[in-house]
Amino acid sequence: MMKLINLNLRSKLITAFLLVSVLAGGLIAFTANRTTSQALTDEVGNNLQRLADTQALAVGDLLARQTDALQSLSLNRSLREFSADQNANYLNTFGGDQEAILASILEIDEEWVSVGEDDLLIRRRLFSTAASELQTFRNLFPDQVEVFFTDEYGGLAAATDRTSDYYQADEEWWQIAYNDGEGAIYIGQPSFDESSQTFGLNMAVPIYDRERETILGILRSTYSLETLADLVLETESVRTGFEIGILLPNDQFLISNEGRMEAADETLLANLQGLEEAQYAEIEINGAVNLISQAQVTDITGVSGVDDLGWQIVVFQDELTALEPVNNQRRNILLTTFLVTIGAAVAAVFMANLLANPISRLTDTAADIAGGNLSARADVDTGDEIGLLSNTFNTMADQLQETLAGLEDRVEERTSQLAERSTQLETAAIVARDVTSVLDFEDLLERVAVKISESFGHYHVAIFLADEQDQQAVLRAASSEGGQKMLARRHTLQAGNESIIGYVLANKRHRLVADVNTEDVYFQNPDLPQTQSEIALPLQAGGYLLGVLDVQSKEKDSFSPDDITILQTLADQIAVAIYNSQLFENVSQARQEAEEANRIKTQFLTNMSHELRTPLNAILNFTGFVADGVLGEVNDEQVDSLNKTITSGEHLLSLINDILDLSKIEAGKMSLFVQDVNMNHILDSAAATAKGLIKEKPISLTVDIEPNLPELKGDKRRIRQVMLNLVSNAVKFTPEGEIHIAAGHEDSNIHISVRDTGIGISQEDMKKVFNSFEQIEHELYSVSGTGLGLPISKHFVEAHNGQMWAESELGVGSTFYVTFPVESEIPETAPALASNGYPAQE
Amino acid sequence: MSNSEATFLYVDDDPLSRDVLQILLHKVMGFSQIEFFEHSNNFVERVQALPAVPSIIFLDIEVRPHNGYEMLALLRDIPTYQEVPIIAVTAQVMAADVDKLRETGFTGLIGKPIDNRLFPQFVNQILQGQAVWHIS
């Protein structure tokens, strides 16, 4: 199957056409052959059957006519009288004594056998009037070769020829014909008569009296079958080429034309039994296939006794002969089919070529084009779809060729541009490398200027450095000879429109002079008389203008927009290099000092934390034990004092924690443990804390928190810390009055406010409250506070992308506002350790 | 093991800290089997001489000659001490310190100053096999 698939189109088409034509031809041939053969064979069979029927009727008719004739003879008066006389003689001689009569007849019989021809006994029987009638009958019917009749007792009455016996009543034919006095027609089966060398059969009929009541005697004849055979069987078979025989009830077969009788072939018998219904059969006899048919020999009158003979006419025809027309037909069909198939094959090859050739040419062309021959075109002129496809293909190929040709041009163009650009980019790369590797600053500028000059082919490249106020620029490196002279005289230019460098210095953007003769800004430098065009670019880094890169060319219009872009890139790199080296020179020491200070600060904070926590452990716990009565009874006054000690200790601890938080925030090391936060929980908890804190103060607390606030993403503990800070601040700075906690949400923001009627904050102080280590001065400064709570809280709120601010009036009260966005991307970080708890405890 | 049968070992060179823990475990919580080491000399021998493997071991970090981390390692080398909860009780509670405690395999941390109101709850949690990491 794979092989078929891999065949080329032509082979596939031929195969398909051939397959179809051979299949169709074969099918037609097969069907035609079958139906025609069957029809013809049936026809032959039918003919055989008809022949058998005809012959059976003819034989039956012939036999019937013979018996009719014999019966007619039996009515002859002479025969009657002769018989009657002889019967009367017996009666007269012996009376009714049957035995005596029989004895007498047997006596005569012995005499009959022994006497000569001339004996009266015989002569009386052969030459009587009755015998004469018999002779006449034989003359009329020559096939009735021997005729005689007996009296009623079987004794011979008259005969055409001398019979072998006188007494005939012991013979079968006699007894059947006599039929115990009832009478019947006898026709016997054929036998071979040696004397006449022919087949013959015996017929016998009774001779009745005139009233047809009494049998007077029996008339018998021997009928020769020679005529029957000649007339009916042999002639017919010779004429048509058939073989016809008569099958007898004893399975003997009379084949007339061979003049003999033989045992019927077993195969023939077996087939004849099944032939009752079918019209014909095919059998093999002696190695040859024959068609056979048969018919029962009957007499249409039905009274002659012929029907009782049980004869069958059997007709054969050799199949080769019989079916010759069939075979001829079959041969014709095969020949026709073969010719048609050959024709179809020729047509298939022709059609396949007709179809496949244009496609092949198209395929070859496509392969050519794929192989790089873009000018190849398909030469197909057919007006069909393939022709259309080829035209379309050619059009496409035209476009392809055109496109590729254009592309090649563009590629060439771009390649040269890129080559040039790559040189310049290489310069940029070298500059970048120099920037990092060259430590000496002046050396760096010198190398960069020379490198740019070489790569871009501009004769003068200079680098100016700006002073701190960007008021003037001093030449620090130059590539040309003129430039060296300028360096020697410390060439300096002022900011302003007097020169290109001054312009860049003043405006901080590049300035291009495409033609020096047309621009006022161009300042004719005596050291650089060849300059025709010039560009100056700012060297900017770290937000500062550090200097100017100046490039001058001996040709006009030397700087394309691409050149400007790449020069600006270079300028930026140079600027970074200058910036870094200046930082390196000026700032590195300060940085080291700052880092050291920072390290010392961290160490200090760590130590402070540790050194303070250990004694606080003892202070807070022992005080707590005493206050809780663990160590013995204490009175209320003592408990009060002890609790104040504990509060102070806890304040000290929160101070430590705040300082550590702040140092982490300042170091950028504070991280958030982001998870889902239920704001209702936090606010309820903060409100509960507030309720506890105001217990001993004349403050009323009102809470208006919207239920089911949306969840937000954030660090639960930090948000809680913010809320507690606001609530505790409110309590701390409100001697008496009211605290109101409110929360709600609008769109995607949660709003929280904590309002108090406390001491308030002045406009001036408001600027400081969110700054580190600034606690507002106030006469009520008895309240404790690190001053770090609000800055830390604000930091946490902003870390959640929220906002925190305050409104306040001195002496009236303050309101602190916090908003958190619900949908917010907060950087997920590792869980941070809090100063007052740990996530594992949450 | 009911709470009253629990046994404790606390190693800290600060006598006041030892007193605080003594009061918390004994007076406040009612435990009586509490062993105190004020240094870590012959640490393993002394641990093995204890009447029973402690239910919880509290270790200060700044102890000599073996500090808390070293004591932890020595304890974990003793086959019968591999599953004992070992809690750091220290004032060194900067983030880096806590990270180091976790990495070296401490079961938990109760930072100084100890919160005496929460401490009983922490001890019960530890006895029930929970981790406690707390800083006041």
Side-chain angles (χ1 to χ4, degrees), chain A residues 606 610 613-614 616-618 620-622 624-625 630-631 650 653 657 660 833-838 840-841, chain B residues 14 16-17 19-20 23-24 27 62 91-94 98 102 112-114 116-117 122 125 132-133 135-136:
Chain A
T606 307
H610 181 236
R613 280 171 188 275
T614 306
L616 269 178
N617 188 35
L620 286 172
N621 279 300
F622 283 122
F625 296 150
V630 175
L631 303 175
E650 283 172 347
L653 182 59
N657 287 336
L660 291 178
L833 182 72
S835 54
N836 58 351
Y838 205 80
Q841 272 295 300
Chain B
D14 175 30
L16 291 177
S17 295
D19 287 349
V20 167
I23 292 167
L24 281 169
K27 294 221 166 179
E62 295 212 331
Q92 292 183 344
V93 293
M94 303 291 279
V98 179
R102 283 177 180 275
K112 291 176 184 174
I114 296 169
N116 54 48
R117 278 157 294 185
F122 293 161
Q125 283 176 349
V132 169
W133 293 84
I135 303 163
S136 295

Side-chain angles (χ1 to χ4, degrees), chain A residues 400-414:
Chain A
L400 185 66
Q401 194 175 16
E402 221 169 281
T403 309
L404 282 179
L407 191 63
E408 275 170 17
D409 289 348
R410 286 205 295 281
V411 165
E412 209 170 312
E413 189 185 333
R414 291 299 292 164

Side-chain angles (χ1 to χ4, degrees), chain A residues 159-340:
Chain A
T160 52
D161 300 280
R162 179 180 176 176
T163 58
S164 51
D165 293 319
Y166 175 78
Y167 180 61
Q168 300 288 343
D170 57 346
E171 299 285 342
E172 187 193 17
W173 57 266
W174 195 94
Q175 290 166 359
I176 289 171
Y178 185 71
N179 196 19
D180 293 334
E182 295 293 318
I185 298 171
Y186 170 82
I187 303 177
Q189 296 297 339
S191 60
F192 191 67
D193 182 33
E194 291 292 339
S195 58
S196 67
Q197 287 291 306
T198 60
F199 283 97
L201 58 80
N202 294 331
M203 295 177 180
V205 296
I207 302 169
Y208 293 98
D209 64 359
R210 195 182 295 271
E211 288 77 29
R212 279 195 71 87
E213 285 173 358
T214 309
I215 292 176
L216 301 175
I218 301 295
L219 174 64
R220 198 206 90 159
S221 74
T222 297
Y223 173 65
S224 168
L225 293 177
E226 201 162 350
T227 303
L228 181 142
D230 281 352
L231 290 178
V232 178
L233 305 176
E234 199 172 316
T235 50
E236 187 71 14
S237 61
V238 166
R239 183 172 62 82
T240 61
F242 293 97
E243 262 188 64
I244 300 177
I246 299 170
L247 184 66
L248 305 177
N250 60 0
D251 288 348
Q252 288 293 305
F253 196 55
L254 186 67
I255 301 169
S256 59
N257 58 342
E258 287 177 14
R260 60 187 172 82
M261 193 157 68
E262 61 185 18
D265 188 275
E266 282 180 18
T267 321
L268 174 67
L269 289 175
N271 276 281
L272 284 176
Q273 280 170 3
L275 208 57
E276 297 291 331
E277 288 164 17
Q279 292 191 311
Y280 65 94
E282 290 178 53
I283 60 165
E284 191 180 304
I285 300 172
N286 300 328
V289 178
N290 288 274
L291 292 182
I292 62 165
S293 189
Q294 63 87 34
Q296 196 74 26
V297 172
T298 53
D299 167 25
I300 44 171
T301 61
V303 294
S304 59
V306 172
D307 293 357
D308 299 330
L309 274 174
W311 287 10
Q312 280 176 287
I313 297 292
V314 178
V315 185
F316 300 78
Q317 193 173 18
D318 177 52
E319 194 175 51
L320 285 176
T321 317
L323 297 182
E324 200 182 351
V326 178
N327 291 330
N328 283 345
Q329 174 78 6
R330 189 175 290 166
R331 205 162 47 240
N332 286 343
I333 290 172
L334 284 176
L335 187 65
T336 311
T337 307
F338 179 70
L339 289 176
V340 165

Side-chain angles (χ1 to χ4, degrees), chain A residues 511-526:
Chain A
R511 183 71 165 90
L512 171 68
V513 175
D515 183 352
V516 295
N517 303 314
T518 62
E519 293 265 5
D520 291 340
V521 75
Y522 179 70
F523 163 70
Q524 179 70 47
N525 190 315

